[in-house]
PDB file of all heavy atoms in Angstrom:
ATOM      1  N   SER A 656      -1.217  -1.290 -21.424  1.00 98.00           N
ATOM      2  CA  SER A 656      -1.332  -2.737 -21.511  1.00 98.00           C
ATOM      3  C   SER A 656      -2.780  -3.192 -21.395  1.00 98.00           C
ATOM      4  O   SER A 656      -3.241  -4.056 -22.144  1.00 98.00           O
ATOM      5  CB  SER A 656      -0.484  -3.399 -20.417  1.00 98.00           C
ATOM      6  OG  SER A 656      -0.637  -4.796 -20.436  1.00 98.00           O
ATOM      7  N   LEU A 657      -3.513  -2.605 -20.470  1.00 98.00           N
ATOM      8  CA  LEU A 657      -4.931  -2.944 -20.338  1.00 98.00           C
ATOM      9  C   LEU A 657      -5.696  -2.556 -21.603  1.00 98.00           C
ATOM     10  O   LEU A 657      -6.559  -3.307 -22.076  1.00 98.00           O
ATOM     11  CB  LEU A 657      -5.529  -2.242 -19.121  1.00 98.00           C
ATOM     12  CG  LEU A 657      -5.103  -2.791 -17.758  1.00 98.00           C
ATOM     13  CD1 LEU A 657      -5.540  -1.860 -16.631  1.00 98.00           C
ATOM     14  CD2 LEU A 657      -5.671  -4.196 -17.539  1.00 98.00           C
ATOM     15  N   LEU A 658      -5.380  -1.414 -22.167  1.00 98.00           N
ATOM     16  CA  LEU A 658      -6.038  -0.961 -23.386  1.00 98.00           C
ATOM     17  C   LEU A 658      -5.744  -1.911 -24.544  1.00 98.00           C
ATOM     18  O   LEU A 658      -6.639  -2.303 -25.300  1.00 98.00           O
ATOM     19  CB  LEU A 658      -5.574   0.454 -23.729  1.00 98.00           C
ATOM     20  CG  LEU A 658      -6.204   1.134 -24.956  1.00 98.00           C
ATOM     21  CD1 LEU A 658      -7.700   1.324 -24.763  1.00 98.00           C
ATOM     22  CD2 LEU A 658      -5.514   2.479 -25.206  1.00 98.00           C
ATOM     23  N   ALA A 659      -4.485  -2.318 -24.678  1.00 97.00           N
ATOM     24  CA  ALA A 659      -4.084  -3.213 -25.778  1.00 97.00           C
ATOM     25  C   ALA A 659      -4.711  -4.589 -25.645  1.00 97.00           C
ATOM     26  O   ALA A 659      -4.965  -5.256 -26.649  1.00 97.00           O
ATOM     27  CB  ALA A 659      -2.563  -3.342 -25.817  1.00 97.00           C
ATOM     28  N   ASN A 660      -4.957  -5.014 -24.416  1.00 97.00           N
ATOM     29  CA  ASN A 660      -5.447  -6.373 -24.200  1.00 97.00           C
ATOM     30  C   ASN A 660      -6.957  -6.479 -24.102  1.00 97.00           C
ATOM     31  O   ASN A 660      -7.545  -7.437 -24.613  1.00 97.00           O
ATOM     32  CB  ASN A 660      -4.833  -6.933 -22.913  1.00 97.00           C
ATOM     33  CG  ASN A 660      -3.418  -7.428 -23.102  1.00 97.00           C
ATOM     34  OD1 ASN A 660      -3.210  -8.514 -23.613  1.00 97.00           O
ATOM     35  ND2 ASN A 660      -2.434  -6.622 -22.705  1.00 97.00           N
ATOM     36  N   PHE A 661      -7.596  -5.492 -23.452  1.00 97.00           N
ATOM     37  CA  PHE A 661      -9.007  -5.640 -23.113  1.00 97.00           C
ATOM     38  C   PHE A 661      -9.925  -4.595 -23.735  1.00 97.00           C
ATOM     39  O   PHE A 661     -11.134  -4.700 -23.606  1.00 97.00           O
ATOM     40  CB  PHE A 661      -9.178  -5.579 -21.584  1.00 97.00           C
ATOM     41  CG  PHE A 661      -8.408  -6.635 -20.854  1.00 97.00           C
ATOM     42  CD1 PHE A 661      -7.173  -6.354 -20.287  1.00 97.00           C
ATOM     43  CD2 PHE A 661      -8.895  -7.924 -20.743  1.00 97.00           C
ATOM     44  CE1 PHE A 661      -6.446  -7.326 -19.624  1.00 97.00           C
ATOM     45  CE2 PHE A 661      -8.183  -8.906 -20.083  1.00 97.00           C
ATOM     46  CZ  PHE A 661      -6.948  -8.611 -19.520  1.00 97.00           C
ATOM     47  N   GLY A 662      -9.370  -3.599 -24.385  1.00 97.00           N
ATOM     48  CA  GLY A 662     -10.207  -2.535 -24.911  1.00 97.00           C
ATOM     49  C   GLY A 662     -10.348  -1.400 -23.925  1.00 97.00           C
ATOM     50  O   GLY A 662      -9.430  -1.108 -23.152  1.00 97.00           O
ATOM     51  N   ILE A 663     -11.497  -0.774 -23.917  1.00 97.00           N
ATOM     52  CA  ILE A 663     -11.713   0.445 -23.138  1.00 97.00           C
ATOM     53  C   ILE A 663     -12.499   0.130 -21.867  1.00 97.00           C
ATOM     54  O   ILE A 663     -13.568  -0.494 -21.925  1.00 97.00           O
ATOM     55  CB  ILE A 663     -12.462   1.492 -23.982  1.00 97.00           C
ATOM     56  CG1 ILE A 663     -11.629   1.833 -25.229  1.00 97.00           C
ATOM     57  CG2 ILE A 663     -12.749   2.747 -23.164  1.00 97.00           C
ATOM     58  CD1 ILE A 663     -12.367   2.660 -26.243  1.00 97.00           C
ATOM     59  N   GLU A 664     -11.946   0.566 -20.734  1.00 97.00           N
ATOM     60  CA  GLU A 664     -12.621   0.328 -19.465  1.00 97.00           C
ATOM     61  C   GLU A 664     -13.979   1.018 -19.461  1.00 97.00           C
ATOM     62  O   GLU A 664     -14.134   2.161 -19.896  1.00 97.00           O
ATOM     63  CB  GLU A 664     -11.774   0.849 -18.295  1.00 97.00           C
ATOM     64  CG  GLU A 664     -12.381   0.558 -16.929  1.00 97.00           C
ATOM     65  CD  GLU A 664     -11.520   1.008 -15.765  1.00 97.00           C
ATOM     66  OE1 GLU A 664     -10.422   1.568 -16.018  1.00 97.00           O
ATOM     67  OE2 GLU A 664     -11.945   0.805 -14.604  1.00 97.00           O
ATOM     68  N   GLY A 665     -14.986   0.314 -18.971  1.00 97.00           N
ATOM     69  CA  GLY A 665     -16.338   0.846 -18.931  1.00 97.00           C
ATOM     70  C   GLY A 665     -17.125   0.588 -20.197  1.00 97.00           C
ATOM     71  O   GLY A 665     -18.352   0.686 -20.190  1.00 97.00           O
ATOM     72  N   VAL A 666     -16.420   0.271 -21.283  1.00 97.00           N
ATOM     73  CA  VAL A 666     -17.088  -0.029 -22.550  1.00 97.00           C
ATOM     74  C   VAL A 666     -16.984  -1.524 -22.864  1.00 97.00           C
ATOM     75  O   VAL A 666     -17.982  -2.188 -23.141  1.00 97.00           O
ATOM     76  CB  VAL A 666     -16.487   0.793 -23.704  1.00 97.00           C
ATOM     77  CG1 VAL A 666     -17.152   0.428 -25.031  1.00 97.00           C
ATOM     78  CG2 VAL A 666     -16.613   2.282 -23.424  1.00 97.00           C
ATOM     79  N   HIS A 667     -15.770  -2.042 -22.789  1.00 97.00           N
ATOM     80  CA  HIS A 667     -15.539  -3.448 -23.113  1.00 97.00           C
ATOM     81  C   HIS A 667     -15.249  -4.290 -21.876  1.00 97.00           C
ATOM     82  O   HIS A 667     -15.453  -5.506 -21.905  1.00 97.00           O
ATOM     83  CB  HIS A 667     -14.377  -3.569 -24.092  1.00 97.00           C
ATOM     84  CG  HIS A 667     -14.566  -2.731 -25.323  1.00 97.00           C
ATOM     85  ND1 HIS A 667     -13.812  -1.611 -25.580  1.00 97.00           N
ATOM     86  CD2 HIS A 667     -15.449  -2.839 -26.345  1.00 97.00           C
ATOM     87  CE1 HIS A 667     -14.215  -1.068 -26.720  1.00 97.00           C
ATOM     88  NE2 HIS A 667     -15.196  -1.782 -27.198  1.00 97.00           N
ATOM     89  N   TYR A 668     -14.759  -3.680 -20.822  1.00 97.00           N
ATOM     90  CA  TYR A 668     -14.466  -4.411 -19.592  1.00 97.00           C
ATOM     91  C   TYR A 668     -14.631  -3.473 -18.406  1.00 97.00           C
ATOM     92  O   TYR A 668     -14.671  -2.240 -18.544  1.00 97.00           O
ATOM     93  CB  TYR A 668     -13.046  -4.985 -19.618  1.00 97.00           C
ATOM     94  CG  TYR A 668     -11.949  -3.963 -19.383  1.00 97.00           C
ATOM     95  CD1 TYR A 668     -11.420  -3.751 -18.096  1.00 97.00           C
ATOM     96  CD2 TYR A 668     -11.444  -3.189 -20.415  1.00 97.00           C
ATOM     97  CE1 TYR A 668     -10.422  -2.812 -17.873  1.00 97.00           C
ATOM     98  CE2 TYR A 668     -10.450  -2.248 -20.198  1.00 97.00           C
ATOM     99  CZ  TYR A 668      -9.938  -2.064 -18.936  1.00 97.00           C
ATOM    100  OH  TYR A 668      -8.962  -1.124 -18.713  1.00 97.00           O
ATOM    101  N   ASP A 669     -14.718  -4.061 -17.216  1.00 97.00           N
ATOM    102  CA  ASP A 669     -14.741  -3.318 -15.957  1.00 97.00           C
ATOM    103  C   ASP A 669     -13.656  -3.874 -15.040  1.00 97.00           C
ATOM    104  O   ASP A 669     -13.300  -5.056 -15.128  1.00 97.00           O
ATOM    105  CB  ASP A 669     -16.099  -3.459 -15.266  1.00 97.00           C
ATOM    106  CG  ASP A 669     -17.232  -2.826 -16.056  1.00 97.00           C
ATOM    107  OD1 ASP A 669     -17.116  -1.641 -16.424  1.00 97.00           O
ATOM    108  OD2 ASP A 669     -18.232  -3.534 -16.323  1.00 97.00           O
ATOM    109  N   MET A 670     -13.139  -3.030 -14.175  1.00 97.00           N
ATOM    110  CA  MET A 670     -12.213  -3.502 -13.148  1.00 97.00           C
ATOM    111  C   MET A 670     -13.030  -3.972 -11.948  1.00 97.00           C
ATOM    112  O   MET A 670     -13.795  -3.202 -11.364  1.00 97.00           O
ATOM    113  CB  MET A 670     -11.253  -2.393 -12.733  1.00 97.00           C
ATOM    114  CG  MET A 670     -10.288  -1.957 -13.827  1.00 97.00           C
ATOM    115  SD  MET A 670      -9.203  -3.280 -14.447  1.00 97.00           S
ATOM    116  CE  MET A 670      -8.174  -3.587 -13.009  1.00 97.00           C
ATOM    117  N   VAL A 671     -12.870  -5.258 -11.611  1.00 96.00           N
ATOM    118  CA  VAL A 671     -13.619  -5.856 -10.514  1.00 96.00           C
ATOM    119  C   VAL A 671     -12.609  -6.468  -9.544  1.00 96.00           C
ATOM    120  O   VAL A 671     -11.891  -7.405  -9.897  1.00 96.00           O
ATOM    121  CB  VAL A 671     -14.585  -6.946 -11.019  1.00 96.00           C
ATOM    122  CG1 VAL A 671     -15.344  -7.563  -9.847  1.00 96.00           C
ATOM    123  CG2 VAL A 671     -15.547  -6.370 -12.061  1.00 96.00           C
ATOM    124  N   ASP A 672     -12.541  -5.914  -8.339  1.00 95.00           N
ATOM    125  CA  ASP A 672     -11.567  -6.388  -7.349  1.00 95.00           C
ATOM    126  C   ASP A 672     -10.157  -6.417  -7.921  1.00 95.00           C
ATOM    127  O   ASP A 672      -9.383  -7.353  -7.695  1.00 95.00           O
ATOM    128  CB  ASP A 672     -11.948  -7.780  -6.843  1.00 95.00           C
ATOM    129  CG  ASP A 672     -13.271  -7.796  -6.098  1.00 95.00           C
ATOM    130  OD1 ASP A 672     -13.634  -6.751  -5.516  1.00 95.00           O
ATOM    131  OD2 ASP A 672     -13.949  -8.841  -6.117  1.00 95.00           O
ATOM    132  N   GLY A 673      -9.826  -5.388  -8.694  1.00 94.00           N
ATOM    133  CA  GLY A 673      -8.488  -5.268  -9.249  1.00 94.00           C
ATOM    134  C   GLY A 673      -8.233  -6.098 -10.490  1.00 94.00           C
ATOM    135  O   GLY A 673      -7.103  -6.117 -10.992  1.00 94.00           O
ATOM    136  N   GLU A 674      -9.262  -6.777 -11.019  1.00 95.00           N
ATOM    137  CA  GLU A 674      -9.099  -7.606 -12.207  1.00 95.00           C
ATOM    138  C   GLU A 674      -9.909  -7.032 -13.367  1.00 95.00           C
ATOM    139  O   GLU A 674     -11.056  -6.622 -13.180  1.00 95.00           O
ATOM    140  CB  GLU A 674      -9.579  -9.043 -11.939  1.00 95.00           C
ATOM    141  CG  GLU A 674      -8.860  -9.750 -10.814  1.00 95.00           C
ATOM    142  CD  GLU A 674      -7.466 -10.198 -11.211  1.00 95.00           C
ATOM    143  OE1 GLU A 674      -7.126 -10.073 -12.398  1.00 95.00           O
ATOM    144  OE2 GLU A 674      -6.716 -10.653 -10.323  1.00 95.00           O
ATOM    145  N   PRO A 675      -9.349  -7.016 -14.585  1.00 97.00           N
ATOM    146  CA  PRO A 675     -10.123  -6.579 -15.751  1.00 97.00           C
ATOM    147  C   PRO A 675     -11.060  -7.696 -16.204  1.00 97.00           C
ATOM    148  O   PRO A 675     -10.617  -8.775 -16.601  1.00 97.00           O
ATOM    149  CB  PRO A 675      -9.034  -6.305 -16.796  1.00 97.00           C
ATOM    150  CG  PRO A 675      -7.897  -7.194 -16.410  1.00 97.00           C
ATOM    151  CD  PRO A 675      -7.954  -7.353 -14.914  1.00 97.00           C
ATOM    152  N   ILE A 676     -12.356  -7.458 -16.123  1.00 97.00           N
ATOM    153  CA  ILE A 676     -13.357  -8.470 -16.439  1.00 97.00           C
ATOM    154  C   ILE A 676     -14.212  -7.981 -17.609  1.00 97.00           C
ATOM    155  O   ILE A 676     -14.817  -6.904 -17.547  1.00 97.00           O
ATOM    156  CB  ILE A 676     -14.267  -8.751 -15.221  1.00 97.00           C
ATOM    157  CG1 ILE A 676     -13.415  -9.148 -14.008  1.00 97.00           C
ATOM    158  CG2 ILE A 676     -15.286  -9.828 -15.563  1.00 97.00           C
ATOM    159  CD1 ILE A 676     -12.599 -10.388 -14.197  1.00 97.00           C
ATOM    160  N   TYR A 677     -14.242  -8.772 -18.670  1.00 97.00           N
ATOM    161  CA  TYR A 677     -15.051  -8.401 -19.822  1.00 97.00           C
ATOM    162  C   TYR A 677     -16.513  -8.269 -19.443  1.00 97.00           C
ATOM    163  O   TYR A 677     -17.032  -9.009 -18.604  1.00 97.00           O
ATOM    164  CB  TYR A 677     -14.925  -9.453 -20.926  1.00 97.00           C
ATOM    165  CG  TYR A 677     -13.654  -9.375 -21.719  1.00 97.00           C
ATOM    166  CD1 TYR A 677     -12.794 -10.463 -21.777  1.00 97.00           C
ATOM    167  CD2 TYR A 677     -13.309  -8.219 -22.423  1.00 97.00           C
ATOM    168  CE1 TYR A 677     -11.619 -10.402 -22.517  1.00 97.00           C
ATOM    169  CE2 TYR A 677     -12.147  -8.148 -23.149  1.00 97.00           C
ATOM    170  CZ  TYR A 677     -11.297  -9.233 -23.197  1.00 97.00           C
ATOM    171  OH  TYR A 677     -10.152  -9.165 -23.925  1.00 97.00           O
ATOM    172  N   LYS A 678     -17.172  -7.353 -20.095  1.00 97.00           N
ATOM    173  CA  LYS A 678     -18.601  -7.175 -19.883  1.00 97.00           C
ATOM    174  C   LYS A 678     -19.359  -8.380 -20.442  1.00 97.00           C
ATOM    175  O   LYS A 678     -18.891  -9.058 -21.358  1.00 97.00           O
ATOM    176  CB  LYS A 678     -19.074  -5.892 -20.551  1.00 97.00           C
ATOM    177  CG  LYS A 678     -18.654  -4.633 -19.804  1.00 97.00           C
ATOM    178  CD  LYS A 678     -19.199  -3.388 -20.444  1.00 97.00           C
ATOM    179  CE  LYS A 678     -18.949  -2.160 -19.573  1.00 97.00           C
ATOM    180  NZ  LYS A 678     -19.755  -2.181 -18.332  1.00 97.00           N
ATOM    181  N   PRO A 679     -20.546  -8.672 -19.907  1.00 96.00           N
ATOM    182  CA  PRO A 679     -21.313  -9.823 -20.380  1.00 96.00           C
ATOM    183  C   PRO A 679     -21.574  -9.802 -21.886  1.00 96.00           C
ATOM    184  O   PRO A 679     -21.590 -10.855 -22.520  1.00 96.00           O
ATOM    185  CB  PRO A 679     -22.621  -9.721 -19.580  1.00 96.00           C
ATOM    186  CG  PRO A 679     -22.230  -9.003 -18.333  1.00 96.00           C
ATOM    187  CD  PRO A 679     -21.183  -8.014 -18.757  1.00 96.00           C
ATOM    188  N   GLU A 680     -21.767  -8.608 -22.436  1.00 95.00           N
ATOM    189  CA  GLU A 680     -22.052  -8.552 -23.872  1.00 95.00           C
ATOM    190  C   GLU A 680     -20.865  -8.986 -24.720  1.00 95.00           C
ATOM    191  O   GLU A 680     -21.027  -9.335 -25.896  1.00 95.00           O
ATOM    192  CB  GLU A 680     -22.494  -7.142 -24.287  1.00 95.00           C
ATOM    193  CG  GLU A 680     -21.626  -6.016 -23.807  1.00 95.00           C
ATOM    194  CD  GLU A 680     -22.136  -5.393 -22.507  1.00 95.00           C
ATOM    195  OE1 GLU A 680     -22.591  -6.156 -21.624  1.00 95.00           O
ATOM    196  OE2 GLU A 680     -22.087  -4.157 -22.393  1.00 95.00           O
ATOM    197  N   ILE A 681     -19.665  -8.979 -24.144  1.00 95.00           N
ATOM    198  CA  ILE A 681     -18.489  -9.507 -24.841  1.00 95.00           C
ATOM    199  C   ILE A 681     -18.401 -11.021 -24.647  1.00 95.00           C
ATOM    200  O   ILE A 681     -18.265 -11.788 -25.607  1.00 95.00           O
ATOM    201  CB  ILE A 681     -17.196  -8.854 -24.320  1.00 95.00           C
ATOM    202  CG1 ILE A 681     -17.189  -7.339 -24.601  1.00 95.00           C
ATOM    203  CG2 ILE A 681     -15.967  -9.523 -24.931  1.00 95.00           C
ATOM    204  CD1 ILE A 681     -17.052  -6.975 -26.055  1.00 95.00           C
ATOM    205  N   LEU A 682     -18.498 -11.467 -23.389  1.00 93.00           N
ATOM    206  CA  LEU A 682     -18.328 -12.883 -23.082  1.00 93.00           C
ATOM    207  C   LEU A 682     -19.503 -13.735 -23.554  1.00 93.00           C
ATOM    208  O   LEU A 682     -19.332 -14.925 -23.844  1.00 93.00           O
ATOM    209  CB  LEU A 682     -18.138 -13.074 -21.579  1.00 93.00           C
ATOM    210  CG  LEU A 682     -16.827 -12.571 -20.978  1.00 93.00           C
ATOM    211  CD1 LEU A 682     -16.845 -12.715 -19.462  1.00 93.00           C
ATOM    212  CD2 LEU A 682     -15.638 -13.320 -21.563  1.00 93.00           C
ATOM    213  N   GLU A 683     -20.699 -13.147 -23.624  1.00 91.00           N
ATOM    214  CA  GLU A 683     -21.893 -13.936 -23.915  1.00 91.00           C
ATOM    215  C   GLU A 683     -22.480 -13.637 -25.292  1.00 91.00           C
ATOM    216  O   GLU A 683     -23.635 -13.961 -25.563  1.00 91.00           O
ATOM    217  CB  GLU A 683     -22.943 -13.667 -22.832  1.00 91.00           C
ATOM    218  CG  GLU A 683     -22.463 -14.030 -21.432  1.00 91.00           C
ATOM    219  CD  GLU A 683     -23.381 -13.538 -20.322  1.00 91.00           C
ATOM    220  OE1 GLU A 683     -24.494 -13.055 -20.672  1.00 91.00           O
ATOM    221  OE2 GLU A 683     -22.990 -13.625 -19.146  1.00 91.00           O
ATOM    222  N   SER A 684     -21.667 -13.080 -26.163  1.00 90.00           N
ATOM    223  CA  SER A 684     -22.171 -12.692 -27.482  1.00 90.00           C
ATOM    224  C   SER A 684     -22.324 -13.868 -28.437  1.00 90.00           C
ATOM    225  O   SER A 684     -22.980 -13.755 -29.476  1.00 90.00           O
ATOM    226  CB  SER A 684     -21.225 -11.667 -28.119  1.00 90.00           C
ATOM    227  OG  SER A 684     -19.988 -12.280 -28.463  1.00 90.00           O
ATOM    228  N   GLY A 685     -21.685 -14.994 -28.103  1.00 84.00           N
ATOM    229  CA  GLY A 685     -21.680 -16.120 -29.026  1.00 84.00           C
ATOM    230  C   GLY A 685     -20.587 -16.031 -30.070  1.00 84.00           C
ATOM    231  O   GLY A 685     -20.463 -16.909 -30.926  1.00 84.00           O
ATOM    232  N   ARG A 686     -19.772 -14.981 -30.006  1.00 87.00           N
ATOM    233  CA  ARG A 686     -18.664 -14.789 -30.932  1.00 87.00           C
ATOM    234  C   ARG A 686     -17.344 -14.921 -30.183  1.00 87.00           C
ATOM    235  O   ARG A 686     -17.271 -14.646 -28.978  1.00 87.00           O
ATOM    236  CB  ARG A 686     -18.747 -13.411 -31.605  1.00 87.00           C
ATOM    237  CG  ARG A 686     -20.000 -13.200 -32.429  1.00 87.00           C
ATOM    238  CD  ARG A 686     -19.989 -11.824 -33.055  1.00 87.00           C
ATOM    239  NE  ARG A 686     -18.819 -11.681 -33.915  1.00 87.00           N
ATOM    240  CZ  ARG A 686     -18.024 -10.603 -33.908  1.00 87.00           C
ATOM    241  NH1 ARG A 686     -18.249  -9.606 -33.086  1.00 87.00           N
ATOM    242  NH2 ARG A 686     -16.995 -10.553 -34.717  1.00 87.00           N
ATOM    243  N   ALA A 687     -16.317 -15.326 -30.895  1.00 85.00           N
ATOM    244  CA  ALA A 687     -15.009 -15.470 -30.271  1.00 85.00           C
ATOM    245  C   ALA A 687     -14.552 -14.130 -29.704  1.00 85.00           C
ATOM    246  O   ALA A 687     -14.635 -13.094 -30.385  1.00 85.00           O
ATOM    247  CB  ALA A 687     -13.998 -15.984 -31.287  1.00 85.00           C
ATOM    248  N   VAL A 688     -14.054 -14.151 -28.480  1.00 91.00           N
ATOM    249  CA  VAL A 688     -13.618 -12.913 -27.834  1.00 91.00           C
ATOM    250  C   VAL A 688     -12.455 -12.290 -28.595  1.00 91.00           C
ATOM    251  O   VAL A 688     -12.410 -11.063 -28.777  1.00 91.00           O
ATOM    252  CB  VAL A 688     -13.224 -13.170 -26.368  1.00 91.00           C
ATOM    253  CG1 VAL A 688     -12.580 -11.934 -25.749  1.00 91.00           C
ATOM    254  CG2 VAL A 688     -14.445 -13.585 -25.557  1.00 91.00           C
ATOM    255  N   ASN A 689     -11.525 -13.116 -29.077  1.00 89.00           N
ATOM    256  CA  ASN A 689     -10.387 -12.526 -29.791  1.00 89.00           C
ATOM    257  C   ASN A 689     -10.841 -11.817 -31.059  1.00 89.00           C
ATOM    258  O   ASN A 689     -10.301 -10.759 -31.408  1.00 89.00           O
ATOM    259  CB  ASN A 689      -9.318 -13.583 -30.081  1.00 89.00           C
ATOM    260  CG  ASN A 689      -9.835 -14.787 -30.825  1.00 89.00           C
ATOM    261  OD1 ASN A 689     -11.034 -14.949 -31.027  1.00 89.00           O
ATOM    262  ND2 ASN A 689      -8.929 -15.654 -31.239  1.00 89.00           N
ATOM    263  N   SER A 690     -11.831 -12.348 -31.760  1.00 89.00           N
ATOM    264  CA  SER A 690     -12.337 -11.670 -32.956  1.00 89.00           C
ATOM    265  C   SER A 690     -12.953 -10.325 -32.604  1.00 89.00           C
ATOM    266  O   SER A 690     -12.778  -9.341 -33.331  1.00 89.00           O
ATOM    267  CB  SER A 690     -13.374 -12.553 -33.658  1.00 89.00           C
ATOM    268  OG  SER A 690     -12.795 -13.736 -34.147  1.00 89.00           O
ATOM    269  N   GLN A 691     -13.651 -10.266 -31.489  1.00 93.00           N
ATOM    270  CA  GLN A 691     -14.229  -9.002 -31.052  1.00 93.00           C
ATOM    271  C   GLN A 691     -13.145  -7.997 -30.700  1.00 93.00           C
ATOM    272  O   GLN A 691     -13.285  -6.794 -30.973  1.00 93.00           O
ATOM    273  CB  GLN A 691     -15.142  -9.234 -29.856  1.00 93.00           C
ATOM    274  CG  GLN A 691     -16.359 -10.085 -30.161  1.00 93.00           C
ATOM    275  CD  GLN A 691     -17.209 -10.295 -28.926  1.00 93.00           C
ATOM    276  OE1 GLN A 691     -17.886  -9.371 -28.452  1.00 93.00           O
ATOM    277  NE2 GLN A 691     -17.167 -11.506 -28.379  1.00 93.00           N
TER     278      GLN A 691
END
């Protein structure tokens, strides 16, 4: 489920306090997250 929703841990997101958090390069790219 995490893979289907967020991509690959350590590449596209990190687990922070038990939550999957996108890396800054995903959230701050200026592009829609769903498109990425």
